[in-house]
Amino acid sequence: MNLRQLEIFRAVMQTGTTSGAAHILGISQPAVSNMIRHMEAQSGIKLFDRYKGRLWPTEEATILDHDIESIFVIFRSVNQKVEDLKESRVGSIKIVSVPSLAQSILLAALQPFLADRPDVSVSLDLQRVEGIVDRIDNNLADVGLSLSFSDYPTVETKPMHLGRMVCVIPAGHSLAAQGEVRAADLRGHTFITMERGTPLGNIVANAFAAAGEPFAWGIETRYGYMAYSLVEKGLGVALVDEYYARTQAREGVVIRPFTPTIPLTAYVMFSRLRPLPRLAKVLIHHIEDAILNFSSAEM
């Protein structure tokens, strides 16, 4: 017997009539009757007794119906798996990101992404830009998020949002009373900068040069979250990306615009050499939504 025969047999068992089974299956009543007769002839087993317009299952049919239930459980499971694959609700995705975007935009995107996909597994790695490119190139990541990049021939970059660096200041600091902070205002204050030689460190140094101000710093660190923590402890004033600053705003830290403006672009990155996985495409849509929500709450 094939699966279609078993499906028709089961529909007759459930409804008790060939017309009822035909209605459930969306086929004609003669087709159901012919299939039942064919099954009986093929198997040599009488499956139904005909009495007063109904089909009454024989003992053999009842035993068969019990045994084929497991087949349909598997069949439903396979169909559900196909539907899940089509709707990108199963599988795995590997993400690599700079810390600030992981703790802001990516977190906001992952919440709705995973809410409908409890069976999707996520691998998340935090890296500098060079590490992001390396992992995408070596197929260790499907999607990357970065704040700056150079042109890499093997990596596609999609700009998502134009942001900026902002000044974070301990609450109660003299600069906290200002509406904005200029490069010249940092004279005489302990300045916490991004590590020199890194993309963010370089653009901060260039901004001071453009303003004609000496680039005098007291503490340098590689990551914005560390700079923010140092400010929170009252150890100085820092310039960090607005993505992390706005999502981590606390009572002990004041955020102010910085002049001259230091623009930052948030990028999604993926390989140019491999097709973008379906799950990655869905995640990027959620990242776009998270960016829109972030933009609607601009400072």
Side-chain angles (χ1 to χ4, degrees):
M1 294 183 183
N2 58 43
L3 187 61
R4 184 56 171 170
Q5 289 174 323
L6 294 179
E7 187 179 28
I8 291 174
F9 164 76
R10 194 161 180 269
V12 174
M13 291 290 292
Q14 290 173 340
T15 63
T17 65
T18 54
S19 60
H23 178 72
I24 289 176
L25 298 172
I27 60 177
S28 68
Q29 184 271 337
V32 174
S33 298
N34 290 337
M35 184 62 75
I36 293 298
R37 284 194 293 269
H38 179 71
M39 289 175 66
E40 291 179 325
Q42 185 182 41
S43 65
I45 299 173
K46 186 175 183 180
L47 298 173
F48 297 97
D49 289 318
R50 282 80 174 169
Y51 182 72
K52 291 187 177 181
R54 290 187 63 86
L55 298 178
W56 298 90
T58 62
E59 183 179 354
E60 291 81 2
T62 301
I63 293 172
L64 179 62
D65 184 53
H66 179 270
D67 287 347
I68 67 174
E69 175 61 27
S70 60
I71 295 175
F72 283 94
V73 169
I74 295 172
F75 183 64
R76 286 194 299 270
S77 176
V78 171
N79 279 336
Q80 184 60 55
K81 183 69 70 174
V82 170
E83 187 66 22
D84 287 343
L85 288 169
K86 184 176 71 173
E87 298 297 328
S88 301
R89 290 196 294 260
V90 295
S92 63
I93 184 169
K94 297 169 289 187
I95 311 165
V96 60
S97 174
V98 294
S100 61
L101 289 180
Q103 293 168 298
S104 54
I105 301 302
L106 183 58
L107 279 182
L110 281 175
Q111 287 177 313
F113 174 76
L114 291 175
D116 296 330
R117 297 170 177 83
D119 295 324
V120 168
S121 57
V122 174
S123 175
L124 175 58
D125 189 12
L126 303 183
Q127 291 285 334
R128 300 171 66 179
V129 177
E130 296 83 357
I132 293 174
V133 172
D134 178 71
R135 277 152 181 75
I136 291 175
D137 270 345
N138 289 287
N139 200 24
L140 298 175
D142 302 307
V143 178
L145 283 85
S146 178
L147 282 176
S148 57
F149 74 101
S150 300
D151 187 26
Y152 300 100
T154 59
V155 176
E156 186 73 34
T157 54
K158 181 179 180 181
M160 305 292 287
H161 182 260
L162 180 61
R164 57 183 171 168
M165 299 286 280
V166 294
C167 190
V168 288
I169 310 163
H173 192 283
S174 60
L175 293 178
Q178 299 185 189
E180 68 174 20
V181 176
R182 300 168 301 164
D185 296 329
L186 296 178
R187 294 178 190 170
H189 299 289
T190 300
F191 178 52
I192 302 165
T193 186
M194 297 294 97
E195 183 179 29
R196 293 166 300 161
T198 64
L200 291 186
N202 288 338
I203 64 173
V204 170
N206 291 339
F208 274 79
E213 288 294 320
F215 184 50
W217 54 273
I219 304 173
E220 67 173 355
T221 181
R222 180 173 296 181
Y223 297 115
Y225 68 83
M226 192 65 231
Y228 191 99
S229 296
L230 290 167
V231 170
E232 191 175 23
K233 293 298 184 182
L235 296 177
V237 176
L239 294 180
V240 301
D241 66 88
E242 66 168 308
Y243 302 99
Y244 183 79
R246 287 172 52 189
T247 54
Q248 300 296 318
R250 300 167 193 150
E251 290 184 3
V253 177
V254 174
I255 304 172
R256 293 289 181 263
F258 182 76
T259 302
T261 299
I262 305 176
L264 292 175
T265 302
Y267 294 93
V268 166
M269 306 165 72
F270 46 89
S271 176
R272 287 177 172 160
L273 306 180
R274 300 183 302 276
L276 190 62
R278 181 189 292 268
L279 274 174
K281 293 178 181 178
V282 175
L283 176 62
I284 289 173
H285 286 311
H286 283 285
I287 291 172
E288 290 171 340
D289 290 340
I291 288 289
L292 287 176
N293 293 333
F294 185 88
S295 298
S296 66
E298 295 282 6
M299 291 185 299

